[in-house]
């Protein structure tokens, strides 16, 4: 494996994508929505004290979640106004799984274009008769999905955190809601492992489908477990705490290894070439 | 040792024997044409030689290497244009050359290469906006980046207009003049005839004829014959009054007489004159590569179940365009 070659593959794909706004647009827009619209909801809640009664009602919806939170946090919430509880739960817990959608979506959009798309456009064939190895191609192209996916994930996290903190600063008397340990593990531990998983699956899917549209559509399946997490948390079944997240990272790493092992088997020049039209 | 040696090469896809035990050698500095209808196994063969596919049986040596095992080092020494070559849409030919040079980790003069393939005018046009001919020239340019002595060109002119084809031919001729060994696949007989020193005609994974076009024509075609436009009565008259073998094509109203000796033509014409019947145009003809090709690959059912019949070549090109 020659690092220079991996870099060259990455650079080429990246330049190509940069000149293709259709690919970049969705992976920029959705994170912006998450990073700005979700905090806007929180701001809305926090700025309507008259609705304290309704907050009380909404808090009831989160009771199963609250009941399963660690003792110290429950104690802290017990001291708060319903309004504050509502904001806290939403900003810190409820919205967290949304940030798992960003790396999955970004990396599968980029990956579908880079793997299935290039197979469809046949540009990948032009690179096979060069000194590039299959492994270098796979790694270089995976990075084209991974690096931008991580970049948008981190940026949207910073934007989200900043808006939340600024908006809730006075409400919580200077306590910063974000970052906390859970969010840090989530963003810097879970999302990279998740992005890799999604890239590996995209590689495998791309080998089996005709074009990148199909690959993208199938990749949507990856979002189901995330929705599962969201509901599991609301229903109190599973709280995204440090231990759960650590376990999740461990699981994802194992899945990543398995998927990339499979991906390497699928991503071979003879397979890439197969031209059954 | 020859630059390419192939012995009993085999490749199967599932149940399909795409290449079924072919053998040939390519000599240094030669243009070797692989000719055949769709699905004959040309691309499969060429991809095995390039080290992009693993063979199922037989022996292959390209520049002394086993292309599958030593693929990456072989790639430094050969140039390749895949069938239906395309490159990244938003990349210009010049950028593509620079990128390729990076991949091979060498320094090149992109403008010189562009001149070599007659593409200097479109050096900075994005690939997307190039004409079909210019795209193929880009492929040629890329195949030249590592200054290979051996080139594999898979259908370099398919789908191009006659002028663009001729321009590509010109480039290929200049490469041959520089002593490069070139393996070329094509559907076009005239292209094989114009460019190749030797040709192998493939059909259903077999080589059905091989040699220079003259050799193929004399081995598989009929010799010289006299053709007279006229009625069947005239054909019968000539047959009755000479020792000659006379064939009659009722569809075209052509009397065809194989000429074992040139003087046979005189006997045939004398008989025709004697008959008092009318006759039209006369000409002597021998089988062209066209005729031989159609004889060798016709009357068979291709993979789609279509009959590749008398007008095989135009049918083939029609199928390609679909
Ligand atoms: N990856 C593959 N998997 C299965 N079958 C294949 C594959 N590639 C080619 N084939 C089949 O093998 C046969 C030979 O194909 P090949 O591409 O070598 O023919 P060809 O002579 O290059 O044809 P064309 O003129 O259409 O390019 C065809 O019947 C084709 O359908
Ligand atoms: Mg072919």
């Amino acid at each position: 494996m020659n690092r220079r070659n991996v870099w060259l593959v990455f650079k080429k794909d990246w330049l190509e994508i940069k000149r293709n706004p259709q690919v970049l647009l969705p992976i920029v827009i959705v994170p912006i929505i998450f990073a700005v619209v979700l905090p806007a909801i929180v701001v809305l809640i926090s700025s309507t004290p008259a609705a304290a009664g309704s907050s009380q009602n909404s808090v009831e919806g989160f009771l199963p979640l609250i009941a399963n939170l660690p003792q110290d946090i429950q104690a802290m919430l017990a001291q708060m106004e319903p309004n504050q509880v509502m904001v806290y739960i939403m900003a810190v817990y409820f919205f967290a799984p949304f940030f798992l959608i960003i790396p999955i979506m970004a990396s599968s959009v980029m990956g579908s274009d880079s793997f299935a798309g290039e197979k469809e456009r046949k540009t990948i064939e032009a690179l096979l008769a060069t000194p590039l190895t299959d492994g270098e191609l796979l790694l270089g192209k995976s990075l084209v999905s991974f690096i931008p996916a991580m970049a948008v994930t981190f940026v949207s996290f910073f934007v989200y955190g900043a808006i939340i903190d600024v908006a809730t600063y006075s409400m919580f008397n200077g306590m910063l809601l974000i970052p906390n340990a859970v969010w840090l593990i989530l963003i810097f531990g879970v999302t990279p492992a998740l992005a890799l998983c999604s890239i590996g699956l995209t590689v495998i899917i791309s080998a089996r489908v005709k074009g990148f549209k199909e690959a993208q559509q199938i990749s949507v399946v990856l979002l189901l477990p995330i929705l599962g997490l969201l509901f599991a948390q609301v229903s109190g079944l599973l709280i995204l705490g440090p231990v759960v997240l650590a376990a999740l990272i461990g699981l994802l790493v194992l899945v990543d290894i398995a998927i990339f092992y499979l991906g390497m088997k699928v991503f071979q020049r003879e397979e890439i070439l197969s031209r059954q039209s | 040792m020859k630059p390419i040696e192939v012995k009993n090469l085999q490749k199967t896809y599932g149940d399909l024997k795409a290449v079924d035990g072919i053998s040939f050698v390519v000599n240094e500095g030669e243009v070797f044409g692989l000719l055949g209808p769709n699905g004959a196994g040309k691309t499969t063969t060429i991809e095995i030689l390039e080290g992009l596919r693993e063979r199922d049986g037989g022996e292959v040596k390209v520049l002394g290497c086993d292309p599958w095992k030593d693929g990456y080092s072989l790639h430094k020494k050969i140039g390749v244009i895949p069938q239906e070559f395309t490159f990244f849409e938003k990349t210009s030919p010049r950028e593509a050359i620079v990128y390729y040079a990076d991949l091979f980790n060498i320094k090149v003069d992109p403008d010189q290469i562009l001149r070599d393939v007659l593409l200097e005018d479109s050096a900075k046009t994005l690939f997307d906006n190039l004409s079909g001919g210019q795209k193929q020239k880009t492929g040629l340019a890329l195949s030249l980046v590592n200054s290979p002595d051996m080139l594999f060109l898979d259908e370099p002119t398919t789908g191009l207009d006659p002028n663009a084809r001729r321009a590509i031919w010109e480039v290929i001729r200049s490469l041959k003049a520089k002593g490069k060994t070139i393996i070329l696949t094509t559907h076009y007989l005239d292209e094989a005839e114009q460019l190749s020193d030797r040709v192998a005609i493939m059909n259903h994974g077999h080589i059905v004829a091989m040699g220079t076009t003259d050799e193929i024509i004399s081995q598989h075609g009929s010799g010289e014959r006299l053709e007279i436009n006229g009625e069947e009565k005239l054909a019968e008259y000539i047959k009755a009054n000479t020792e000659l073998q006379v064939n009659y094509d009722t569809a075209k109203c052509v009397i065809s007489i194989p000429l074992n000796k040139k003087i046979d033509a005189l006997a045939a014409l004398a008989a025709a004159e004697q008959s008092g019947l009318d006759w039209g145009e006369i000409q002597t003809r021998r089988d062209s590569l066209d005729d031989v090709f159609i004889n060798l690959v016709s009357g068979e059912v291709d993979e789609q179940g279509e009959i590749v019949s008398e007008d095989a070549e135009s049918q083939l090109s029609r199928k390609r365009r679909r």
Side-chain angles (χ1 to χ4, degrees), chain B residues 148-304:
Chain B
D149 293 326
M150 182 178 285
L151 289 168
F152 293 91
L153 314 179
D154 198 351
E155 298 189 20
T157 67
T158 295
L160 303 187
D161 71 48
N163 281 329
R165 285 180 71 203
R166 261 157 240 278
I168 301 272
W169 289 3
E170 199 179 313
V171 176
I172 293 176
R173 284 202 190 97
S174 75
L175 295 172
K176 176 179 156 64
K178 288 181 188 156
K180 302 200 188 286
T181 307
I182 300 173
I183 293 83
L184 170 93
T185 78
T186 180
H187 291 129
Y188 301 115
L189 296 149
D190 57 338
E191 182 161 302
E193 234 166 348
Q194 288 279 335
L195 298 176
S196 316
D197 298 304
R198 286 192 310 131
V199 174
I201 299 181
M202 281 190 83
N203 195 24
H204 295 302
H206 298 277
I207 290 182
V208 290
M210 182 158 57
T212 63
T213 46
D214 282 343
E215 283 166 3
I216 291 179
I217 291 167
S218 66
Q219 273 169 31
H220 299 271
S222 65
E224 200 167 24
R225 60 182 182 268
L226 176 70
E227 289 184 354
I228 307 172
N229 272 35
E231 290 174 29
E232 193 158 11
K233 260 196 278 176
L234 179 61
E236 277 156 13
Y237 185 90
I238 299 174
K239 201 171 187 172
N241 292 285
T242 62
E243 307 280 275
L244 301 170
Q245 182 197 333
V246 180
N247 305 311
Y248 189 70
D249 182 337
T250 30
K252 293 187 191 145
C253 298
V254 170
I255 304 161
S256 162
I257 302 162
L259 300 177
N260 298 323
K261 311 185 292 292
K262 293 251 181 223
I263 203 81
D264 290 347
L266 211 55
L269 291 177
E273 183 61 30
Q274 255 173 31
S275 71
L277 295 163
D278 275 345
W279 38 290
E281 231 169 80
I282 53 170
Q283 58 173 340
T284 60
R285 245 182 77 109
R286 58 172 68 240
D287 268 355
S288 63
L289 190 59
D290 238 80
D291 301 315
V292 173
F293 179 83
I294 286 156
N295 284 336
L296 286 170
V297 304
S298 70
E300 298 188 32
V301 178
D302 69 8
E303 75 268 30
Q304 267 112 36

Side-chain angles (χ1 to χ4, degrees), chain A residues 204-226:
Chain A
I204 294 169
I205 292 167
S206 297
R208 298 274 165 262
V209 298
K210 283 239 170 63
F212 81 104
K213 289 228 173 72
E214 249 175 286
Q216 265 182 32
Q217 283 157 6
I218 298 178
S219 308
V220 170
V221 173
L222 284 168
L223 294 178
L224 291 181
I226 303 303

Side-chain angles (χ1 to χ4, degrees), chain A residues 166-221:
Chain A
V166 168
T168 62
Y169 188 78
S170 55
M171 184 182 193
F172 287 89
N173 303 319
M175 183 176 96
L176 295 183
L177 299 190
I178 288 177
N180 64 7
V182 168
W183 272 87
L184 291 179
I185 301 174
L186 185 87
I187 296 296
F188 296 104
V190 179
T191 65
L194 202 57
L196 286 179
C197 182
S198 140
I199 293 166
L201 275 175
T202 308
V203 172
I204 294 169
I205 292 167
S206 297
R208 298 274 165 262
V209 298
K210 283 239 170 63
F212 81 104
K213 289 228 173 72
E214 249 175 286
Q216 265 182 32
Q217 283 157 6
I218 298 178
S219 308
V220 170
V221 173

